[in-house]
Amino acid sequence: DDEKEAALSRLRSPLDRGRGDPTRDRDLFAKNCATCHRSVAKGGIAPRVVNWKGDRNALLRAIADPSGEIQEKYRVFQAAIDDGQYLTGFVVGNDANTITLMEPNGTQRKISRTQILDLSPMQWSFMPDGLLSEFSAQETRDLVAFLQTATN
């Protein structure tokens, strides 16, 4: 899609013009990313991204188009409940009688299967599109450098 490719190009452009300083972006990461992207040991609700060892283009694509490729364990589901509520989260527990959803804030909700009218996978990620659109070129470089070098 042209819009996603344009977003990817906007992310790539500052990186082609200079290097980032990973020590400067700890606060930006904490403010914009760490709520969900904590280390696995700290119970993050999104994939671990610090100390990224993969391809830089794959990292940029995940930032530019977070709903483009979603790992199944991070697939968002919406449950329609018999009392009129709609609950959204990751399925983190599933047995014969209940389903447990982890909501974006990390709260786990156990729901009786008898209460669920519908449980549907969503085609979008909790991570919003355009998250870095307010970042300066230097902040973008610093964030990518931080993600590639920091340990968490």
Side-chain angles (χ1 to χ4, degrees):
D1 153 285
D2 291 341
E3 187 178 315
K4 301 295 182 187
E5 287 304 317
L8 184 59
S9 179
R10 282 191 302 276
L11 277 175
R12 208 179 272 129
S13 179
L15 300 176
D16 293 339
R17 294 192 312 256
R19 292 188 166 271
D21 179 351
T23 63
R24 286 194 297 222
D25 206 47
R26 191 171 303 275
D27 291 339
L28 278 173
F29 179 82
K31 179 181 176 189
N32 294 283
C33 312
T35 300
C36 297
H37 290 283
R38 292 178 231 148
S39 70
V40 174
K42 293 182 180 175
I45 65 163
R48 187 175 185 277
V49 292
V50 294
N51 201 16
W52 180 271
K53 297 298 184 199
D55 176 52
R56 183 178 83 172
N57 284 325
L59 175 64
L60 297 178
R61 187 166 299 284
I63 294 169
D65 184 14
S67 297
E69 188 175 321
I70 302 171
Q71 297 173 32
E72 279 310 306
K73 68 181 176 180
Y74 298 111
R75 173 76 53 204
V76 176
F77 283 81
Q78 184 175 65
I81 310 301
D82 62 3
D83 66 0
Q85 290 185 78
Y86 287 88
L87 303 176
T88 306
F90 307 118
V91 174
V92 295
N94 186 356
D95 63 35
N97 299 315
T98 62
I99 288 185
T100 303
L101 288 181
M102 182 182 295
E103 296 175 310
N105 64 6
T107 301
Q108 292 190 21
R109 301 268 306 255
K110 189 175 272 196
I111 311 158
S112 170
R113 286 186 178 274
T114 61
Q115 293 179 284
I116 299 173
L117 302 176
D118 182 57
L119 182 67
S120 301
M122 301 289 97
Q123 299 305 312
W124 44 264
S125 166
F126 278 137
M127 182 173 161
D129 289 340
L131 189 63
L132 302 184
S133 62
E134 301 299 317
F135 281 34
S136 70
Q138 187 60 52
E139 288 170 333
T140 299
R141 286 191 290 269
D142 293 346
L143 176 65
V144 171
F146 175 79
L147 292 175
Q148 291 180 314
T149 61
T151 57
N152 182 346

